[in-house]
Amino acid sequence: NGYVDVESVRFTGLQMGLDGAADLITLSNANVKITGTLDTTGYIKVASTKFTVDATGNTYADGTLGVKGMSTLEDDLLLSEDAAVIKHTADASTTAGLSIHSTNAHVDVESVRFTSKQIGTTTDADLITLADNAVAVAGTLTVSDDVKLSEANAVIEHTSTDAAASLTIKSSSGYVDVESVRFTTDEIGIATDADLIKLTDQQVSVRGKLQTTDDILMSEATAALTHDAASGVGLAITSSNGYVDVE
């Protein structure tokens, strides 16, 4: 009905301990219960190799690791699965989500760097800046397909404050169509007749018929109306339904 002390170890039935802590170890069939802290300088093994902790602290688990609290890692997390996944499985709600966040720095995904609201590369981290209803691109934007604007009154606006700033819309090897008007280097026309108007320094050449519903005014001090065709019958100035005044 009592206990047996062997040196400083106390045996009480199936329990072993000390005076004042007699139930540190409790034995039962295929079971050892430890009440307190287990301190060992060697390996801890479960089912031989299913769960091991070596003397340096390296831990191996041959199965699923479930954690209900926060996990803090002071080194890298390495995944050896061929098709590895980091998956968030919370119940659906308005607040559910997965955040990957660095408190004071950035997050790299492959070669893409995320820093707060900015996205870029490791050598140019602010290429894209996100804001509510806005995306700012700090660099060259290359698009391999159409750019479509769904705004009711859309605008392409150049906002540089440089005194020598300008906006150029050009095609490196073709033309630029604005509505039904085609621009090709220094020529303006339509899709079926692209060179109707040619611009040079202080000169506009019209390669076709010029129609006007108002006066033609010449401000040159000594103006001339010259017909310079290489061949033809001459120059005619006529009025379809009226007269022609000269002076």
Side-chain angles (χ1 to χ4, degrees):
N1 296 320
Y3 56 81
V4 175
D5 285 343
V6 178
E7 292 286 345
S8 298
V9 179
R10 177 162 295 179
F11 294 83
T12 309
L14 298 175
Q15 295 179 333
M16 290 181 284
L18 304 170
D19 183 13
D23 61 347
L24 286 174
I25 299 174
T26 301
L27 306 177
S28 61
N29 290 332
N31 186 50
V32 177
K33 178 182 177 182
I34 297 176
T35 303
T37 300
L38 175 63
D39 190 358
T40 177
T41 59
Y43 281 73
I44 297 175
K45 296 183 179 181
V46 176
S48 183
T49 60
K50 297 299 182 182
F51 180 86
T52 63
V53 180
D54 66 21
T56 65
N58 293 327
T59 303
Y60 173 80
D62 187 7
T64 300
L65 178 65
V67 180
K68 288 188 175 180
M70 182 180 295
S71 297
T72 301
L73 304 179
E74 294 185 359
D75 208 330
D76 296 339
L77 174 64
L78 304 178
L79 308 178
S80 60
E81 178 71 23
D82 285 345
V85 176
I86 298 175
K87 186 177 181 181
H88 179 233
T89 58
D91 294 335
S93 74
T94 57
T95 59
L98 171 65
S99 295
I100 301 176
H101 177 66
S102 174
T103 302
N104 298 311
H106 54 78
V107 175
D108 285 344
V109 179
E110 291 288 348
S111 299
V112 179
R113 176 159 292 179
F114 296 81
T115 310
S116 185
K117 297 178 180 179
Q118 296 178 329
I119 306 171
T121 64
T122 54
T123 55
D124 195 353
D126 62 349
L127 280 171
I128 300 174
T129 300
L130 306 179
D132 291 342
N133 298 314
V135 178
V137 179
T140 300
L141 176 63
T142 301
V143 180
S144 60
D145 208 328
D146 296 340
V147 176
K148 297 184 178 181
L149 309 177
S150 60
E151 179 71 24
N153 297 293
V155 175
I156 298 176
E157 182 178 0
H158 182 229
T159 59
S160 174
T161 57
D162 193 306
S166 64
L167 171 65
T168 300
I169 300 175
K170 67 178 182 178
S171 173
S172 60
S173 57
Y175 53 82
V176 175
D177 283 344
V178 178
E179 292 288 347
S180 299
V181 179
R182 177 159 294 180
F183 296 81
T184 310
T185 62
D186 57 1
E187 295 176 337
I188 306 172
I190 59 176
T192 55
D193 195 353
D195 62 349
L196 280 171
I197 300 172
K198 182 176 178 61
L199 306 177
T200 57
D201 290 343
Q202 299 184 356
Q203 183 173 313
V204 177
S205 300
V206 179
R207 297 168 176 172
K209 185 183 293 185
L210 177 62
Q211 292 182 322
T212 177
T213 59
D214 209 330
D215 298 338
I216 297 176
L217 303 177
M218 301 179 183
S219 60
E220 181 71 26
T222 305
L225 182 62
T226 305
H227 178 237
D228 62 355
S231 63
V233 296
L235 171 64
I237 300 177
T238 62
S239 173
S240 298
N241 300 307
Y243 52 84
V244 174
D245 283 344
V246 179
E247 289 288 340

